[in-house]
Amino acid sequence: MEIYKILVVDDEPDLCEGLKLNLEIEGYEADTAYSAEEALEMDLTQYDLILLDVMMGKMSGFECARVIKRNPATANLPIIFCTAKNADDDMIAGLNLGADDYVTKPYNIRNILARIKSVLRRTERTGSGAPVQGAVAAAAKAEEVKQKRIIKEEGLVIDLDQIVCTIDEVPVRMPRKEFELLSLFMSNPGKIFSREDILQKVWSDEVVVVNRVVDVNVTRLRAKIGKYGKLIVTRSGYGYGFKV
C-alpha cells in the first residue's frame, strides 16, 4: 500500500536528516535537498508535500515556492515553510505565495508532524493537493501504527521525542547512530533491511561509509541492550531486522 512522500528542503544537512528520520519513523517516505536549486532539479510531481526552508544560499525558499506555484504540474503541491524568520510580514508573505502553513524555528517535531497531517488531510479532502499516492485508508493505517512516539518490546523501550532508550526502566546511554539504528529496527518489526538500506537511512549524511560499519554497530547495539539483543535478527547474505 502506497504512502505519502515528502521532500525536505533545507541547507542544514543535520536538520534535513533529522526530519527525514522522524518522517520515516512516522510511516512516510522522505527525501532531502540541501538547496532550492537542488530541489527544483528533482521531479517534484512525485511528492505529496514539501517542507521548505526560507533562508538558503542563492535562491530563497520564497523564490523556490514562486517557481513551484508557477508550474502547472506542481501548482497545487502543498508547501509548509520551516524557517527562523518569524516576523508577521514574513509569515504573511509566505502564505500569500500559496504556502499551506508556516512553522518557525526552533520547532518541536510533534508540531511539525501534526501540521503535516493537517495539511495532507485538508488537501486530500478538498482534492487541491498534488496527486496523493496513498488513499485515506493508507493514511489512517500509518497514523494508527505510528501514532505513539514511544515504542516498547518487553522491557526494551525507546522514546522518539526524548531520544531515550530504557532497559527494564533503566536509562541506557547510546550514541546517536546506535539509537537511530535501534529506532529503525523497532519502528519496522518484521522487516529485514539490507546493509545498503541501513546505510542510506542511518548514515546518509556521511561521505564514505562501508558496509562493515553496519555490522560493527549492530554488534555493539546487541551488546548494549543485553538480553534483548536477541530481538535483532540476522538474515545471512541480506541484512538485519527486528523480531522477524
Side-chain angles (χ1 to χ4, degrees), residues 221-241:
L221 181 58
R222 279 183 173 138
K224 189 144 313 171
I225 61 178
K227 63 185 179 182
Y228 300 112
K230 65 176 185 270
L231 297 174
I232 300 176
V233 300
T234 304
R235 286 291 179 265
S236 181
Y238 192 79
Y240 301 97

Side-chain angles (χ1 to χ4, degrees), residues 28-45:
Y28 300 106
E29 289 184 24
D31 290 329
T32 59
Y34 300 142
S35 69
E37 292 88 342
E38 181 183 350
L40 292 175
E41 290 177 358
M42 302 170 72
D43 176 14
L44 299 181
T45 62

Side-chain angles (χ1 to χ4, degrees), residues 26-168:
E26 284 295 306
Y28 300 106
E29 289 184 24
D31 290 329
T32 59
Y34 300 142
S35 69
E37 292 88 342
E38 181 183 350
L40 292 175
E41 290 177 358
M42 302 170 72
D43 176 14
L44 299 181
T45 62
Q46 66 179 303
Y47 297 102
D48 299 305
L49 183 144
I50 296 181
L51 292 176
L52 181 60
D53 187 28
V54 172
M55 295 185 291
M56 296 182 289
K58 293 182 179 179
M59 178 180 283
S60 72
F62 286 164
E63 293 173 305
C64 181
R66 289 190 186 97
V67 174
I68 292 172
K69 294 301 181 181
R70 282 199 298 261
N71 183 345
T74 56
N76 292 323
L77 178 60
I79 295 175
I80 297 178
F81 281 120
C82 300
T83 178
K85 301 186 72 172
N86 57 8
D88 287 345
D89 288 346
D90 294 321
M91 186 177 299
I92 292 170
L95 295 174
N96 284 340
L97 283 171
D100 295 83
D101 209 337
Y102 193 108
V103 184
T104 57
K105 299 177 182 177
Y107 42 71
N108 182 292
I109 189 63
R110 284 185 174 178
N111 184 21
I112 290 286
L113 294 172
R115 288 170 184 261
I116 288 172
K117 290 178 181 178
S118 176
V119 170
L120 289 175
R121 280 197 300 267
R122 186 166 67 246
T123 54
E124 185 177 60
R125 184 170 60 248
T126 62
S128 60
V132 177
Q133 297 181 17
V136 176
K141 180 179 179 181
E143 183 169 352
E144 177 184 355
V145 172
K146 303 297 181 179
Q147 63 182 340
K148 291 185 178 179
R149 300 285 295 168
I150 295 177
I151 303 176
K152 180 177 181 180
E153 183 60 42
E154 300 179 24
L156 176 63
V157 181
I158 56 172
D159 186 322
L160 300 174
D161 289 314
Q162 299 297 319
I163 317 297
V164 172
C165 173
T166 59
I167 296 177
D168 298 329

Side-chain angles (χ1 to χ4, degrees), residues 17 20 24 30-31 184 194-206 209 211 214:
E17 296 304 325
K20 182 176 186 291
E24 289 175 343
D31 290 329
L184 177 66
S194 69
R195 291 171 177 82
E196 291 74 19
D197 288 337
I198 295 171
L199 286 175
Q200 183 180 18
K201 293 179 181 299
V202 179
W203 279 271
S204 58
D205 56 338
E206 306 293 336
V209 181
N211 284 356
V214 174

